[in-house]
Amino acid sequence: MRFPGLNVLRAVAVLAVVYSHISYYLVDDVGGTWWVIDAVTATLIDVGGLNHHLSFVGVAFFMMLTGLVSTASVARNSPRSFLVGRAARLLPVFWLSILAAVVLVRLGVNGMFSQTVGISNAEAAMSFVLGGFFLRPEVVVLGVTWTLIVQFVFYGYAVALRRLLMTRPVLVPTLGAALCWLVLLYTDLVPYDWTIPMLDKVAATLPTVFLGQIAYFAFVRIASWRVLVGAALAQFAVIQFAMTVDAFHVGQRGHLWTVLVLIVAVVLVAPTDTAFGRSRVVHWLATRSYTIYLVHTLVLYRIYEWVEPHLGATAAVAVFALVVGILSDVVYRYVETPASAWIAKRFAGSGTPAADPKVTPPAA
């Protein structure tokens, strides 16, 4: 099934992520504000009920799209082809961004995204495999990369349960919700020294990926609406429990409502073909969304710090947007696209595509 509205959702998602980091920085770190932040707060947050700084909007959108798009791909391709394809898409720009982050920290231009100061050679090496998030205290050189852990866990989980996905697909997100709940319960009950804090965040975020997967099942009519609603409610129950144990670490205001609004938006927008969705601006933002996501915090804080005292907040944000746009376009054209094609061609191998899960609906 085609989803012509995906570009609109990706564009909105990346803009929401960038906005949330600008808002956090200007309001919480600098102690100031900006007219765009005031407008968004007055409309989308105070009236619309979305969470503060739109802090989970972009991430949840991306997670839902991961579940929506990847589910069919897992079933249609061999496990090797699927995993190599995902690695080819994600790893080159991720590694380049980590390298840039380490260099900027070592040069004293940027600070760390954790409570630690500086980064050792061993910690830098671990950052290239997301290992810093599992240290205590965390050693994080590029904060936004934590969401890649969620994606990689989902990919591994989906491949491991590929046979179940093709026979009784709704059990995959339902079982996933149960596993996430158990992880959150374990972390809530055992002493802190026996826990891995990042697992909380992964378990709290995975339900949004499963909601995207359930949306795919709804689009291809793989199960009755009652079964799909039940599976979706299981995800919301996990999110509610995650809020109770503060696994998100962003507060509870508007969180559940935000997730509900976003999944409704995905269901309504994803299958819709519009002229706006085919526009050059939306296409550019959508195709560069992953690169923008990774590089924007590398330059945001220093550019604002250098420009705002001389030209004001609006000009500082405009300069930041211009620099991110140029960097993202260059990285997309000369790193992400060619590296992805090379890796996929060299390592994917020839696997026989599997049937789409909609061809083999569950017996019950």
Side-chain angles (χ1 to χ4, degrees):
M1 180 175 180
R2 292 181 63 251
F3 297 109
L6 283 181
N7 276 356
V8 175
L9 294 170
R10 288 191 181 107
V12 171
V14 75
L15 290 176
V17 168
V18 173
Y19 167 82
S20 69
H21 290 135
I22 293 173
S23 182
Y24 265 119
Y25 177 61
L26 267 63
V27 176
D28 293 353
D29 294 345
V30 177
T33 187
W34 179 38
W35 64 271
V36 173
I37 296 175
D38 295 337
V40 169
T41 301
T43 54
L44 297 180
I45 297 173
D46 292 344
V47 176
L50 301 182
N51 56 359
H52 194 43
H53 295 303
L54 304 184
S55 59
F56 198 58
V57 171
V59 168
F61 256 143
F62 279 127
M63 294 297 105
M64 290 174 186
L65 296 182
T66 293
L68 178 69
V69 174
S70 298
T71 296
S73 183
V74 171
R76 283 198 300 264
N77 298 284
S78 68
R80 176 178 174 177
S81 294
F82 171 75
L83 293 174
V84 170
R86 291 292 79 207
R89 170 76 170 83
L90 299 176
L91 291 181
V93 180
F94 163 65
W95 284 333
L96 178 63
S97 300
I98 291 295
L99 177 62
V102 170
V103 170
L104 289 172
V105 167
R106 290 284 178 84
L107 293 176
V109 176
N110 284 353
M112 297 289 289
F113 287 83
S114 57
Q115 299 301 315
T116 52
V117 177
I119 185 168
S120 69
N121 291 336
E123 291 165 345
M126 292 185 67
S127 298
F128 284 90
V129 292
L130 297 167
F133 287 102
F134 297 93
L135 298 176
R136 185 175 291 171
E138 289 185 349
V139 178
V140 181
V141 74
L142 186 57
V144 295
T145 55
W146 73 268
T147 57
L148 292 178
I149 300 174
V150 181
Q151 289 181 278
F152 291 145
V153 168
F154 173 74
Y155 297 148
Y157 175 78
V159 167
L161 297 187
R162 183 169 175 268
R163 188 177 298 275
L164 186 63
L165 180 65
M166 298 175 65
T167 55
R168 295 182 178 273
V170 182
L171 285 179
V172 174
T174 305
L175 178 60
L179 293 174
C180 290
W181 186 84
L182 287 174
V183 170
L184 292 168
L185 181 65
Y186 170 83
T187 305
D188 186 47
L189 294 179
V190 305
Y192 177 75
D193 289 342
W194 295 0
T195 65
I196 303 175
M198 177 50 63
L199 292 185
D200 261 10
K201 210 168 183 179
V202 172
T205 308
L206 270 173
T208 56
V209 188
F210 291 131
L211 284 172
Q213 186 173 63
I214 293 166
Y216 174 79
F217 295 154
F219 283 128
V220 298
R221 300 179 182 179
I222 207 167
S224 70
W225 69 267
R226 292 180 182 85
V227 172
L228 295 176
V229 168
L233 289 176
Q235 311 307 322
F236 279 100
V238 175
I239 295 171
Q240 178 61 54
F241 183 50
M243 292 166 55
T244 302
V245 299
D246 196 27
F248 292 102
H249 309 295
V250 294
Q252 299 187 22
R253 184 181 182 275
H255 198 87
L256 208 61
W257 171 251
T258 297
V259 175
L260 178 61
V261 169
L262 297 184
I263 191 58
V264 170
V266 168
V267 170
L268 294 177
V269 175
T272 305
D273 189 7
T274 63
F276 175 69
R278 296 190 301 270
S279 66
R280 291 184 177 182
V281 172
V282 170
H283 179 267
W284 188 93
L285 283 170
T287 53
R288 278 82 173 161
S289 58
Y290 177 56
T291 304
I292 294 171
Y293 181 82
L294 287 180
V295 306
H296 75 279
T297 55
L298 292 175
V299 298
L300 167 61
Y301 311 111
R302 297 294 79 79
I303 287 178
Y304 189 89
E305 183 182 85
W306 296 334
V307 176
E308 191 276 337
H310 306 288
L311 300 177
T314 299
V317 173
V319 172
F320 156 71
L322 178 62
V323 172
V324 169
I326 294 172
L327 283 175
S328 299
D329 196 67
V330 170
V331 172
Y332 174 79
R333 290 175 184 271
Y334 301 108
V335 178
E336 181 178 348
T337 301
S340 176
W342 184 85
I343 293 172
K345 181 178 179 180
R346 184 174 180 85
F347 296 103
S350 56
T352 302
D356 191 300
K358 68 182 178 183
V359 178
T360 53

